[in-house]
mmCIF file of all heavy atoms in Angstrom:
data_model
loop_
_atom_site.group_PDB
_atom_site.id
_atom_site.type_symbol
_atom_site.label_atom_id
_atom_site.label_comp_id
_atom_site.label_asym_id
_atom_site.label_seq_id
_atom_site.Cartn_x
_atom_site.Cartn_y
_atom_site.Cartn_z
ATOM 1 N N ASP A 2 110.265 28.334 -79.262
ATOM 2 C CA ASP A 2 110.105 29.590 -78.540
ATOM 3 C C ASP A 2 109.599 30.679 -79.461
ATOM 4 O O ASP A 2 108.783 31.507 -79.070
ATOM 5 C CB ASP A 2 111.455 30.021 -77.922
ATOM 6 C CG ASP A 2 111.800 29.170 -76.715
ATOM 7 O OD1 ASP A 2 110.865 28.539 -76.180
ATOM 8 O OD2 ASP A 2 112.974 29.122 -76.338
ATOM 9 N N ALA A 15 87.033 43.842 -89.788
ATOM 10 C CA ALA A 15 87.541 45.180 -89.466
ATOM 11 C C ALA A 15 88.402 45.169 -88.197
ATOM 12 O O ALA A 15 89.551 45.633 -88.194
ATOM 13 C CB ALA A 15 86.371 46.150 -89.309
ATOM 14 N N LYS A 42 85.154 40.327 -95.235
ATOM 15 C CA LYS A 42 83.993 39.945 -96.046
ATOM 16 C C LYS A 42 82.760 40.781 -95.719
ATOM 17 O O LYS A 42 82.015 41.175 -96.614
ATOM 18 C CB LYS A 42 83.691 38.453 -95.874
ATOM 19 C CG LYS A 42 82.705 37.922 -96.904
ATOM 20 C CD LYS A 42 82.664 36.415 -96.931
ATOM 21 C CE LYS A 42 81.711 35.939 -98.019
ATOM 22 N NZ LYS A 42 81.662 34.453 -98.085
ATOM 23 N N LYS A 72 80.679 54.103 -72.008
ATOM 24 C CA LYS A 72 81.826 54.463 -71.163
ATOM 25 C C LYS A 72 82.975 53.481 -71.310
ATOM 26 O O LYS A 72 84.142 53.849 -71.154
ATOM 27 C CB LYS A 72 81.390 54.568 -69.696
ATOM 28 C CG LYS A 72 80.491 55.764 -69.413
ATOM 29 C CD LYS A 72 80.103 55.838 -67.952
ATOM 30 C CE LYS A 72 79.190 57.043 -67.693
ATOM 31 N NZ LYS A 72 78.763 57.098 -66.265
ATOM 32 N N GLY A 85 91.566 59.506 -86.502
ATOM 33 C CA GLY A 85 92.732 58.629 -86.610
ATOM 34 C C GLY A 85 92.524 57.534 -87.644
ATOM 35 O O GLY A 85 93.430 57.198 -88.415
ATOM 36 N N ARG A 101 76.370 63.536 -96.087
ATOM 37 C CA ARG A 101 75.313 63.978 -95.167
ATOM 38 C C ARG A 101 75.349 63.146 -93.881
ATOM 39 O O ARG A 101 75.550 61.950 -93.907
ATOM 40 C CB ARG A 101 73.951 63.797 -95.871
ATOM 41 C CG ARG A 101 72.735 64.186 -95.059
ATOM 42 C CD ARG A 101 71.486 64.090 -95.914
ATOM 43 N NE ARG A 101 71.348 62.776 -96.518
ATOM 44 C CZ ARG A 101 70.758 61.733 -95.940
ATOM 45 N NH1 ARG A 101 70.284 61.848 -94.719
ATOM 46 N NH2 ARG A 101 70.649 60.589 -96.572
ATOM 47 N N VAL A 108 86.179 57.557 -101.506
ATOM 48 C CA VAL A 108 85.842 58.426 -102.648
ATOM 49 C C VAL A 108 85.306 57.593 -103.803
ATOM 50 O O VAL A 108 84.403 58.002 -104.531
ATOM 51 C CB VAL A 108 87.089 59.235 -103.082
ATOM 52 C CG1 VAL A 108 86.861 59.905 -104.425
ATOM 53 C CG2 VAL A 108 87.432 60.285 -102.027
ATOM 54 N N PHE A 119 93.909 47.967 -95.993
ATOM 55 C CA PHE A 119 94.390 47.168 -94.856
ATOM 56 C C PHE A 119 95.291 46.036 -95.310
ATOM 57 O O PHE A 119 96.259 45.690 -94.614
ATOM 58 C CB PHE A 119 93.206 46.648 -94.032
ATOM 59 C CG PHE A 119 92.768 47.625 -92.983
ATOM 60 C CD1 PHE A 119 91.678 48.439 -93.192
ATOM 61 C CD2 PHE A 119 93.486 47.775 -91.803
ATOM 62 C CE1 PHE A 119 91.295 49.382 -92.244
ATOM 63 C CE2 PHE A 119 93.117 48.703 -90.855
ATOM 64 C CZ PHE A 119 92.018 49.516 -91.076
ATOM 65 N N ALA A 197 70.068 43.808 -84.043
ATOM 66 C CA ALA A 197 69.915 45.256 -83.862
ATOM 67 C C ALA A 197 70.186 45.966 -85.189
ATOM 68 O O ALA A 197 70.803 45.399 -86.089
ATOM 69 C CB ALA A 197 70.861 45.762 -82.780
ATOM 70 N N VAL A 202 58.640 44.372 -88.014
ATOM 71 C CA VAL A 202 57.385 43.813 -88.526
ATOM 72 C C VAL A 202 56.238 44.575 -87.871
ATOM 73 O O VAL A 202 56.211 44.752 -86.649
ATOM 74 C CB VAL A 202 57.278 42.310 -88.208
ATOM 75 C CG1 VAL A 202 55.968 41.732 -88.751
ATOM 76 C CG2 VAL A 202 58.472 41.559 -88.785
ATOM 77 N N TYR A 231 62.555 56.080 -78.106
ATOM 78 C CA TYR A 231 63.406 56.627 -79.160
ATOM 79 C C TYR A 231 62.664 57.731 -79.898
ATOM 80 O O TYR A 231 61.446 57.663 -80.079
ATOM 81 C CB TYR A 231 63.798 55.524 -80.158
ATOM 82 C CG TYR A 231 64.508 56.045 -81.395
ATOM 83 C CD1 TYR A 231 65.863 56.332 -81.370
ATOM 84 C CD2 TYR A 231 63.812 56.271 -82.580
ATOM 85 C CE1 TYR A 231 66.522 56.826 -82.501
ATOM 86 C CE2 TYR A 231 64.459 56.767 -83.716
ATOM 87 C CZ TYR A 231 65.805 57.042 -83.665
ATOM 88 O OH TYR A 231 66.438 57.525 -84.765
ATOM 89 N N GLY A 261 56.034 40.027 -74.662
ATOM 90 C CA GLY A 261 54.958 39.861 -73.697
ATOM 91 C C GLY A 261 54.688 41.090 -72.865
ATOM 92 O O GLY A 261 53.851 41.075 -71.980
ATOM 93 N N LEU A 265 54.490 47.985 -78.374
ATOM 94 C CA LEU A 265 55.335 49.072 -78.858
ATOM 95 C C LEU A 265 54.625 49.819 -79.969
ATOM 96 O O LEU A 265 54.047 49.216 -80.878
ATOM 97 C CB LEU A 265 56.648 48.508 -79.399
ATOM 98 C CG LEU A 265 57.645 48.026 -78.352
ATOM 99 C CD1 LEU A 265 58.627 47.048 -78.965
ATOM 100 C CD2 LEU A 265 58.390 49.191 -77.740
ATOM 101 N N LEU A 285 43.859 73.766 -95.122
ATOM 102 C CA LEU A 285 42.763 74.671 -95.496
ATOM 103 C C LEU A 285 43.068 75.359 -96.831
ATOM 104 O O LEU A 285 42.192 75.484 -97.694
ATOM 105 C CB LEU A 285 42.554 75.712 -94.387
ATOM 106 C CG LEU A 285 41.390 76.697 -94.573
ATOM 107 C CD1 LEU A 285 40.061 75.947 -94.693
ATOM 108 C CD2 LEU A 285 41.334 77.684 -93.411
ATOM 109 N N GLY A 302 48.926 67.314 -103.143
ATOM 110 C CA GLY A 302 49.940 68.259 -102.697
ATOM 111 C C GLY A 302 50.411 68.006 -101.273
ATOM 112 O O GLY A 302 51.428 68.532 -100.849
ATOM 113 N N LYS A 322 33.329 62.597 -101.000
ATOM 114 C CA LYS A 322 32.800 63.854 -100.477
ATOM 115 C C LYS A 322 33.493 65.049 -101.124
ATOM 116 O O LYS A 322 34.709 65.046 -101.331
ATOM 117 C CB LYS A 322 33.021 63.897 -98.962
ATOM 118 C CG LYS A 322 32.216 64.949 -98.225
ATOM 119 C CD LYS A 322 32.364 64.729 -96.712
ATOM 120 C CE LYS A 322 31.439 65.629 -95.925
ATOM 121 N NZ LYS A 322 31.531 65.358 -94.473
ATOM 122 N N PHE A 342 50.869 59.556 -87.352
ATOM 123 C CA PHE A 342 50.520 58.349 -88.109
ATOM 124 C C PHE A 342 51.082 57.166 -87.327
ATOM 125 O O PHE A 342 52.294 57.019 -87.187
ATOM 126 C CB PHE A 342 51.138 58.428 -89.509
ATOM 127 C CG PHE A 342 50.775 57.286 -90.413
ATOM 128 C CD1 PHE A 342 49.643 57.348 -91.206
ATOM 129 C CD2 PHE A 342 51.580 56.150 -90.478
ATOM 130 C CE1 PHE A 342 49.312 56.295 -92.047
ATOM 131 C CE2 PHE A 342 51.256 55.097 -91.317
ATOM 132 C CZ PHE A 342 50.111 55.168 -92.104
ATOM 133 N N THR A 358 74.903 43.054 -84.111
ATOM 134 C CA THR A 358 74.413 42.238 -83.000
ATOM 135 C C THR A 358 74.446 43.053 -81.717
ATOM 136 O O THR A 358 75.433 43.727 -81.427
ATOM 137 C CB THR A 358 75.311 40.998 -82.823
ATOM 138 O OG1 THR A 358 75.329 40.267 -84.042
ATOM 139 C CG2 THR A 358 74.796 40.107 -81.700
ATOM 140 N N VAL A 364 81.371 43.158 -71.075
ATOM 141 C CA VAL A 364 82.503 44.081 -70.958
ATOM 142 C C VAL A 364 82.990 44.181 -69.512
ATOM 143 O O VAL A 364 84.089 44.687 -69.258
ATOM 144 C CB VAL A 364 82.151 45.487 -71.506
ATOM 145 C CG1 VAL A 364 81.864 45.416 -72.999
ATOM 146 C CG2 VAL A 364 80.975 46.100 -70.759
ATOM 147 N N LEU A 376 89.880 37.395 -66.988
ATOM 148 C CA LEU A 376 89.883 36.001 -66.529
ATOM 149 C C LEU A 376 91.060 35.209 -67.072
ATOM 150 O O LEU A 376 91.550 34.285 -66.416
ATOM 151 C CB LEU A 376 88.580 35.299 -66.958
ATOM 152 C CG LEU A 376 87.262 35.987 -66.597
ATOM 153 C CD1 LEU A 376 86.087 35.118 -67.042
ATOM 154 C CD2 LEU A 376 87.177 36.276 -65.103
ATOM 155 N N GLY A 384 85.807 44.314 -81.249
ATOM 156 C CA GLY A 384 84.753 44.398 -82.256
ATOM 157 C C GLY A 384 83.399 43.894 -81.795
ATOM 158 O O GLY A 384 83.074 43.913 -80.605
ATOM 159 N N LEU A 392 74.431 53.289 -83.228
ATOM 160 C CA LEU A 392 73.421 53.551 -84.245
ATOM 161 C C LEU A 392 74.053 53.528 -85.633
ATOM 162 O O LEU A 392 75.257 53.349 -85.781
ATOM 163 C CB LEU A 392 72.743 54.899 -83.965
ATOM 164 C CG LEU A 392 72.020 55.006 -82.618
ATOM 165 C CD1 LEU A 392 71.359 56.373 -82.478
ATOM 166 C CD2 LEU A 392 70.971 53.909 -82.455
ATOM 167 N N ALA A 408 93.394 46.556 -78.679
ATOM 168 C CA ALA A 408 93.834 45.184 -78.399
ATOM 169 C C ALA A 408 95.206 44.937 -79.012
ATOM 170 O O ALA A 408 96.101 44.347 -78.380
ATOM 171 C CB ALA A 408 92.807 44.188 -78.954
ATOM 172 N N GLY A 416 104.633 42.876 -75.597
ATOM 173 C CA GLY A 416 105.729 42.199 -76.276
ATOM 174 C C GLY A 416 107.048 42.914 -76.121
ATOM 175 O O GLY A 416 108.116 42.298 -76.255
#
Side-chain angles (χ1 to χ4, degrees):
D2 286 341
K42 193 167 183 179
K72 290 181 180 178
R101 179 174 55 87
V108 168
F119 273 100
V202 180
Y231 171 81
L265 286 159
L285 183 59
K322 195 171 188 177
F342 184 89
T358 303
V364 296
L376 308 183
L392 300 182

